[in-house]
Amino acid sequence: MNIFFQIEGGLGKSIMGTAMVKAIKKKYKKSKLFVVTAYPDVFLNNPHVEQTFRSDQINGVYLKYIKNKEAKVFIEDPYRNSDFILEEKHLFETWCKIYGLEYNGESPELYLTQPEIDYFTPFYKTDKPILAIQPNGGPQKQGFNYSWTRDIPETVVLKVINHFKDKYSIVHIKRKDQKEYPNTLQALDGFRSIAILLQLSQKRFLIDSFTQHLAAALNKPSVVGWITTNPGVFGYGLHTNIVRNKFTRKPLIEQAAYSPFNLAQDISSLPYNTLHEIFDSQKIIDAIENL
């Protein structure tokens, strides 16, 4: 049987999709599994996957793999499912449910090669242990540098950096267009290089973005800050998940559709009196110390 599994969305969702391919192959052991994604490199060397297609390069698939053949197409998006919208189940459980699969605790996996490890490791050689941080996420050109719904406030980031800067080399995972912080090194590489950085790091402070999924795939416990997304839907038990404090102002959700917040919202809609109220900085520092 040929099975096509299509993933819509960002890098983090494709990394989560590596857990789904295990669940699919567990039920359909003798199938050939084909993955369609915008991030095919996530599935490099994955033993469960026959072939990976870029989302914009699937012309001809029907005639070659589906017509007059035993086939299944798993294309439904769990983000459009009621269980996800109402935050009633973890995303893995919802994903499995809509495809008629059983979820048995499958988690993400990434298969790095020794040449990759040998090539990228020297780039992260420092004279101190590494603390890797990713305080900001989101797409390019979103119109502002700080999204309060997901990003860690600068006040918190600076306190973390100040606390750890003498004992750790702090490596900031970022894009070129994102803010730089003092007393940090910048990691601007692709995600497979970032995976090696996470493997080499002693401590990690992340947001709900691709890095926390990558850390889970590598079995690297991390401290993850959550503001409007839910660790019960997107998180992992191996991480220390720190959820934001209660709002101190009424959130502006009158115009919201199926979700109260977007991952990208500027500070004008902040439901706090000050940025200091979002997190207890000392709680985060203590959690990082305890990793």
Side-chain angles (χ1 to χ4, degrees):
M1 178 188 294
N2 294 333
I3 297 179
F4 274 80
F5 170 45
Q6 182 160 330
I7 306 166
E8 304 289 346
L11 175 56
K13 194 174 177 186
S14 282
I15 295 170
M16 295 186 83
T18 63
M20 287 298 298
V21 302
K22 289 192 289 183
I24 293 169
K25 287 292 285 188
K26 188 173 289 186
K27 181 172 181 178
Y28 301 100
K29 294 180 175 62
K30 296 182 179 180
S31 67
K32 291 184 177 180
L33 179 57
F34 301 87
V35 174
V36 180
T37 171
Y39 301 92
D41 288 358
V42 170
F43 296 89
L44 280 177
N45 311 308
N46 192 305
H48 305 294
V49 177
E50 182 76 15
Q51 187 175 348
T52 308
F53 295 88
R54 287 187 61 88
S55 304
D56 57 355
Q57 295 177 348
I58 57 174
N59 291 343
V61 159
Y62 174 73
L63 283 178
K64 188 172 182 179
Y65 298 101
I66 298 175
K67 185 180 180 182
N68 299 325
K69 294 179 174 64
E70 187 180 5
K72 286 185 177 292
V73 179
F74 293 153
I75 198 171
E76 294 88 351
D77 191 336
Y79 283 13
R80 299 186 178 95
N81 186 272
S82 179
D83 287 345
F84 172 80
I85 293 169
L86 299 177
E87 298 188 333
E88 293 182 346
K89 290 182 172 65
H90 194 283
L91 180 64
F92 290 139
E93 295 178 86
T94 302
W95 223 339
C96 284
K97 175 184 172 183
I98 64 177
Y99 293 157
L101 307 171
E102 289 188 15
Y103 177 62
N104 293 301
E106 289 82 6
S107 59
E109 292 179 333
L110 188 74
Y111 294 87
L112 297 168
T113 65
Q114 193 60 47
E116 286 180 293
I117 295 169
D118 293 342
Y119 178 79
F120 287 114
T121 295
F123 288 89
Y124 299 117
K125 186 176 181 180
T126 68
D127 58 353
K128 293 183 285 189
I130 293 173
L131 164 60
I133 65 170
Q134 188 199 15
N136 303 89
Q140 297 186 41
K141 300 179 181 179
Q142 63 183 4
F144 40 87
N145 292 325
Y146 168 70
S147 172
W148 74 264
T149 51
R150 179 162 60 171
D151 296 345
I152 303 298
E154 181 177 355
T155 55
V156 176
V157 179
L158 290 174
K159 287 180 181 179
V160 168
I161 291 170
N162 187 60
H163 181 86
F164 289 99
K165 66 182 181 180
D166 295 330
K167 292 184 178 180
Y168 290 86
S169 294
I170 302 173
V171 182
H172 178 193
I173 300 164
K174 64 183 292 294
R175 293 193 312 267
K176 289 183 179 180
D177 63 306
Q178 291 177 321
K179 179 180 176 60
E180 292 185 12
Y181 286 99
N183 300 301
T184 65
L185 305 171
Q186 284 78 52
L188 303 170
D189 292 329
F191 81 92
R192 294 184 73 86
S193 172
I194 297 301
I196 292 163
L197 165 64
L198 295 178
Q199 279 193 330
L200 295 170
S201 63
Q202 187 174 96
K203 297 180 183 292
R204 293 150 297 278
F205 175 40
L206 312 170
I207 59 170
D208 177 26
S209 186
F210 81 94
T211 50
Q212 71 110 1
H213 300 294
L214 204 52
L218 300 167
N219 197 33
K220 302 294 285 187
S222 308
V223 175
V224 183
W226 300 81
I227 301 178
T228 59
T229 52
N230 183 348
V233 176
F234 292 105
Y236 303 90
L238 86 163
H239 294 333
T240 301
N241 296 302
I242 298 183
V243 179
R244 52 111 178 132
N245 296 322
K246 291 182 178 180
F247 296 142
T248 55
R249 297 175 60 191
K250 182 180 177 181
L252 303 174
I253 59 173
E254 288 78 6
Q255 303 301 316
Y258 296 121
S259 177
F261 306 106
N262 298 319
L263 283 180
Q265 285 189 215
D266 69 19
I267 201 167
S268 64
S269 61
L270 181 74
Y272 292 93
N273 294 307
T274 71
L275 292 172
H276 297 277
E277 296 176 333
I278 299 177
F279 285 113
D280 179 343
S281 299
Q282 190 59 51
K283 183 177 180 180
I284 290 174
I285 289 170
D286 290 344
I288 297 172
E289 287 279 15
N290 291 330
L291 278 177

